Amino acid sequence: MNHKRWRFPLLAAVCAFAIILSNCGNPTNNNQSENPTTPAATQQGVLVYGSGGQPVNLEPGNITDGNSIIVQQQIYNRLIEFKPGTTEFQPSLATSWSVSADGKVWTFKLRPGVKFHDGSDFNAEAVKFNVERWWNPQHPNGYRNAGKSYEIWQQLFGGFKGKSESLLQDVVVVDNSTIQFKLKQPFAAFPAAIGSGYFGIASPAAIKKAAASYGTPGSLAVGTGPFIFKEWRTGDRILLEKNPNYWKKGDPKINQLVIRFITDPAARLAQLRAGQIDFTVDLAPDQRKEVESDANLVAIPRPSFNVGYLALNPSYKPLGDAKVRQAIALAINNDQIVQAFWGNLGKHDSHFTPPSLNWAQSSKITEYNYNPQKAKQLLAQAGYPTGFDLELWYMPVSRPYFPTPKPIAEAFAADLSAIGIRVKLNTKDWAAYLSDRRKPPGFQAFMLGWTPDYGDPDSFYYPHFSPAATDDIGNWKNDKVTQLLNLGRATGDKAARAKIYAEVDEILHNEAVRLPIVHSQPLLAKRKNIEGWIPSPLGSESFEQIEKK
Amino acid sequence: MWKYIAKRLLSLLPVLLGITLLVFALLHLIPGDPAVVLSGERATPEQVEALRQQLGLDRPLPLQYLAFLEKLIRFDFGTSIISGIPIADEIKNRWPATFELSVAAILVAITLGIPAGIFAAVRKNSWLDNLLMSGSLIGVSLPVYWLGLLLIYLFAVNLQLLPPSGRISVETGFNFKAITNFYVMDALFKFDIATLKDVLAHLILPALTLGTIPLAIIARITRSAMLEVLLQDYIRTAKAKGVPAYLVIFQHALKNALLPISTTIGLQFGNLLGGAILTETIFSWPGIGSWIYEGILARDYPVVQGGVVFVSATFVLINLLVDISYALFDPRIQYK
């Protein structure tokens, strides 16, 4: 048989395919400085951010996920913002603020002459409109019947209008540039809470115009921030443009901002290396090596603002004795565990609050340094010379504070078996894990962590140690701690609060019901030519200062 | 003929009903409550309960299922728990991306798979045949996730020839206004060659990744169909008459072998429309697959239910079309 003849059509087909393939890589002669397929980094003036996923919504006060907050940070301002890289306040839409002597009335002076992207005026009425939407279930523009819940308002400020738990009594327009919040009780962390990333101030006119669809793809998102919302392509990207009338003169530094949604961390890093995105967040700790091996990239740890802890439930008899809990704290080789699982992206210390809140920590604490001998002695003193059985629960999911829960739990178990505690490791589906730990008697010991809502020690302590928050550790209660936490909320003076929280720090250290294991630092990375990106410990920041060299 | 089509259409109903029941049951039987997941580590039990009521998750399961079904009959897919966006809008926006990728992948599979199958059949048991067939075995068994990342690292990160993900590059995409959301078509409509090239370049890697399995399957089916035809008497007659070899193969043999091949292509295409979850996720492709994946992660019941029902319905419809076209093109098949 002669096969040579029919090779030709086939060869032709293969060649055609090859030509199509190779052609796609050819430089194109459009009038752009860059050819779209050579990844020689993205175009000047266009900044591309690789987000870990699509935002839920661009409506302030109705979301809690990081992917939504970081986009909202670009579109909106809040009353107060934070000095880049810290948890310290600086003026934003409010130029100054003060609290009455009884701690119940907060007065904010507003920045004059600011306009929303749609040209409408920013003033006290606009602030009231936004706050009322979040707080007042009867507000005509809250669109709660469309399923909006503003859950985060309730979580931070006790409850909605008309409920006795509501911390807010009233919000009052004093004049065009002055707004007042009247509280039922003093709440020292109020500025930190109202300045958190959830509460961007949106244009009332735009909200009325878009109604319930506000903040969804294809609708509007209008603030006073550095970038103007242009388009949201579902599942793909969000396009933002420079706000030419931004009230911070000289910002933002770039003309266009593109937010790409890339759920898979490996794909995100590949995009960054290929120069398709300029900077990205939430990489896994074990990707650090790859970032550092690429000369075009820079790895950046975000300042820590979380805690991963091991909870010891005193309602389980052996753990009812503080000596036993301290023994466990001494038996775990935290430094080694943190080094092994986080490398230099995590820090162990004996404070429940992270290093960025060190102004509110005690300096008198003796660390529980790894000491199995002493741990054994304490166990013997408590009446368990041969140890006891312990069920330890580890989370089934990876979270920033425990990226790999199971091996970490195995390390705990190994350390504890050395002092005679026989650990049985358990896990459960994430949703069941979260709810079952609260069902009496709860888990004997479990791993969990916390990334708070606002930059104040209160946001770490209150949700874990106030009487209502300890159903997962057998309703553990310490009157002194309860009293101090309430005092901390009611005291305005920072120095006085620092003393109060230092005392809380000491009591909790000795009680050892939730053992701080790690304050981890999420891994971020950027390309070398990106400058002016200062990641915030609070988890998201504005990109107004970023430049492309 | 019409009777046959009507009968086939009616038989779809129980299938679709079964699908809805299965999806619903699977979602609701896995332990864990979306209300807990949605409210996260910080929520109090009361807040979780309130959310559960708001989502209607506190009602008995059969009632929830009936409510879901009743809405479906009115083509109301509900809205996403997380974003509050109507599922139907989301499908409308994302479907073109999935369709475009599936077409590209099936084109890759056809243009490479059919020639490979013919080669293998004509050179039966040669080293080439063995190579192609073992290659197809590998192709079927490659983990999609691994293959996708490998291609990204090879062609996008190291060689920097092709974009690693997405549908369109940043610069081109900034001012590109989609008309139909089928980007290739949109670019063609506008005679915008630069954009067309950009969009095609973005299609190559995901299409290769997604097309690998159908490519392998089509190659194998082509080989066996060709082998069967090549043994027929009329082929021997044609050869004896002195018809050139390539004409024998492409005109006489391939024409008759195309029937089973096109069936396979149809089925594979239906598969692709729903099976692109991994590929779309790795390549950040804004289609139905990556959307279902995110829905699963977030426990967004309506998204997963709506997405899976839509994909399954597409699949059974394509199946039906394949069957009907089979009945039309193959004179040996009687439709009853």
Side-chain angles (χ1 to χ4, degrees), chain A residues 327 330-332 369-378 415 418-419:
Chain A
L330 286 166
I332 293 175
N369 288 325
Y370 177 61
N371 189 339
Q373 265 54 45
K374 199 171 161 202
K376 272 197 181 130
Q377 284 166 13
L378 280 174
D415 282 345
I419 62 164

Side-chain angles (χ1 to χ4, degrees), chain B residues 76-276:
Chain B
D76 174 359
F77 283 90
T79 57
S80 154
I81 291 179
I82 308 261
S83 65
I85 298 168
I87 308 283
D89 290 2
E90 198 77 73
I91 290 176
K92 202 175 70 206
N93 280 328
R94 286 172 175 263
W95 191 74
T98 294
F99 187 76
E100 200 162 64
L101 176 58
S102 304
V103 169
I106 207 79
L107 283 178
V108 167
I110 294 169
T111 44
L112 299 176
I114 292 185
I118 296 173
F119 261 118
V122 172
R123 295 285 183 89
K124 193 179 148 200
N125 295 337
S126 67
W127 63 269
L128 185 74
D129 178 24
N130 292 334
L131 184 76
L132 284 170
M133 285 307 107
S134 46
S136 77
L137 199 64
I138 292 171
V140 167
S141 359
L142 277 183
V144 171
Y145 181 85
W146 177 84
L147 176 69
L149 278 177
L150 186 82
L151 289 176
I152 290 176
Y153 269 83
L154 187 64
F155 290 103
V157 176
N158 291 332
L159 298 175
Q160 307 226 328
L161 285 172
L162 292 165
S165 78
R167 285 183 83 185
I168 194 164
S169 64
V170 167
E171 298 80 8
T172 317
F174 210 91
N175 297 314
F176 178 71
K177 273 270 174 281
I179 315 167
T180 60
N181 245 342
F182 295 96
Y183 282 14
V184 175
M185 303 264 290
D186 288 346
L188 279 173
F189 279 144
K190 297 179 179 173
F191 288 112
D192 183 346
I193 301 302
T195 303
L196 183 65
K197 277 187 171 173
D198 184 51
V199 169
L200 287 176
H202 278 82
L203 262 169
I204 293 172
L205 291 183
L208 279 176
T209 307
L210 188 58
T212 303
I213 291 175
L215 159 66
I217 292 172
I218 287 171
R220 293 187 90 86
I221 295 283
T222 305
R223 178 177 180 270
S224 59
M226 283 296 284
L227 282 178
E228 199 178 321
V229 173
L230 287 174
L231 294 175
Q232 304 288 339
D233 289 347
Y234 59 85
I235 298 287
R236 201 177 321 151
T237 314
K239 280 184 188 163
K241 281 194 326 200
V243 178
Y246 75 90
L247 279 183
V248 171
I249 290 172
F250 285 96
Q251 268 204 327
H252 299 246
L254 188 59
K255 217 157 85 182
N256 290 306
L258 268 179
L259 207 56
I261 296 173
S262 53
T263 312
T264 308
I265 291 173
L267 292 181
Q268 286 304 318
F269 185 63
N271 246 342
L272 290 188
L273 284 176

